[in-house]
Amino acid sequence: MKFFSLATLLSVILLLSACGSSAIEDFSYTDHRGERVSLENLNGTPWLATFAFTSCETVCPPMMFNMTEIQEELKANGIEEYKIVAFSVDPAVDKPKKLRQYLSQFSVPDESKWHLLTGYTQEQIAEFASENFKSFVKKEPGSNQVIHGTSFYLVDQEGEVASNYDGFKNVPVDEIRKDLEKLIEEP
């Protein structure tokens, strides 16, 4: 029975991740530097978004590594007009200092482009992920783990989700770079 529940849950996550694009609602959260980051701050610049948490024992470390590889590709191609935003799905644990320590574990080519966000409740991030990214977030009862989607999202300069990609396996690094370049080149 437990296997069926997990399989059903994963199906829901994949279905929600495949849904179309949408506008991101305004937000104002605290990043790993202790600074406020809002949709308004990000407007005018395309950004890559994902969901992760520092205590993750499964998908988050590879996803963070994959995001650093994307950033390496962007840097190698002279692309500078972007940000990377990771929403913590465990905000009760992931305070700015912990997020800073977590990010320092990865070979980040340009830390100034990153915003690891916190400063909301578990319920708020679950709702935010669902409504804005069609992504699933659920804290596992009796565990320090959080179930969440593994997609990377490309958000355009107006705060619309333009594309989403697998952020865990078979990450289309070249496609993400090309899609980001197209957004930057558009007037």
Side-chain angles (χ1 to χ4, degrees), residues 42 44-48 70-84 108-115 154 157 176-177 180-185:
L42 296 168
T45 304
W47 45 289
L48 291 166
I70 292 167
Q71 190 176 34
E72 289 280 355
E73 176 74 9
L74 298 175
K75 186 176 180 178
N77 284 276
I79 300 169
E80 294 290 328
E81 300 295 318
Y82 69 92
K83 297 287 183 187
I84 297 171
V108 175
D110 184 354
E111 187 271 343
S112 72
K113 302 281 188 202
W114 290 70
H115 297 287
L154 178 58
Q157 294 89 325
I176 293 170
R177 176 190 52 81
L180 183 58
E181 280 180 316
K182 285 179 197 170
L183 283 181
I184 293 169
E185 292 168 3

Side-chain angles (χ1 to χ4, degrees), residues 2-182:
K2 189 172 185 173
F3 174 75
F4 177 74
S5 297
L6 182 58
T8 302
L9 183 60
L10 289 174
S11 295
V12 169
I13 291 170
L14 290 173
L15 178 64
L16 288 173
S17 295
C19 293
S21 68
S22 62
I24 306 299
E25 68 186 47
D26 195 18
F27 63 84
S28 180
Y29 300 136
T30 304
D31 76 2
H32 64 285
R33 295 177 200 91
E35 299 171 359
R36 295 304 282 180
V37 175
S38 67
L39 182 61
E40 185 178 336
N41 298 132
L42 296 168
N43 277 343
T45 304
W47 45 289
L48 291 166
T50 195
F51 295 88
F53 66 109
T54 62
S55 303
C56 183
E57 298 170 354
T58 57
V59 298
C60 299
M63 288 173 59
M64 293 293 287
F65 175 79
N66 292 339
M67 192 64 87
T68 65
E69 284 199 330
I70 292 167
Q71 190 176 34
E72 289 280 355
E73 176 74 9
L74 298 175
K75 186 176 180 178
N77 284 276
I79 300 169
E80 294 290 328
E81 300 295 318
Y82 69 92
K83 297 287 183 187
I84 297 171
V85 178
F87 296 90
S88 171
V89 296
D90 194 8
V93 172
D94 290 344
K95 303 302 181 197
K97 181 179 179 182
K98 186 153 187 166
L99 291 169
R100 261 192 324 276
Q101 291 169 340
Y102 185 68
L103 187 59
S104 73
Q105 297 173 20
F106 300 91
S107 297
V108 175
D110 184 354
E111 187 271 343
S112 72
K113 302 281 188 202
W114 290 70
H115 297 287
L116 277 64
L117 300 182
T118 190
Y120 36 79
T121 66
Q122 190 70 45
E123 294 77 21
Q124 287 171 323
I125 192 59
E127 184 177 320
F128 182 83
S130 175
E131 290 181 4
N132 294 281
F133 293 94
K134 311 297 184 252
S135 186
F136 185 81
V137 171
K138 179 156 177 48
K139 181 90 170 169
E140 285 192 72
S143 170
N144 70 343
Q145 296 300 290
V146 181
I147 300 167
H148 63 91
T150 59
S151 292
F152 290 161
Y153 303 88
L154 178 58
V155 181
D156 70 16
Q157 294 89 325
E158 286 78 43
E160 297 264 340
V161 177
S163 299
N164 67 36
Y165 317 89
D166 185 343
F168 180 55
K169 292 184 178 181
N170 304 314
V171 180
V173 174
D174 196 50
E175 179 183 347
I176 293 170
R177 176 190 52 81
K178 288 177 184 176
D179 290 350
L180 183 58
E181 280 180 316
K182 285 179 197 170

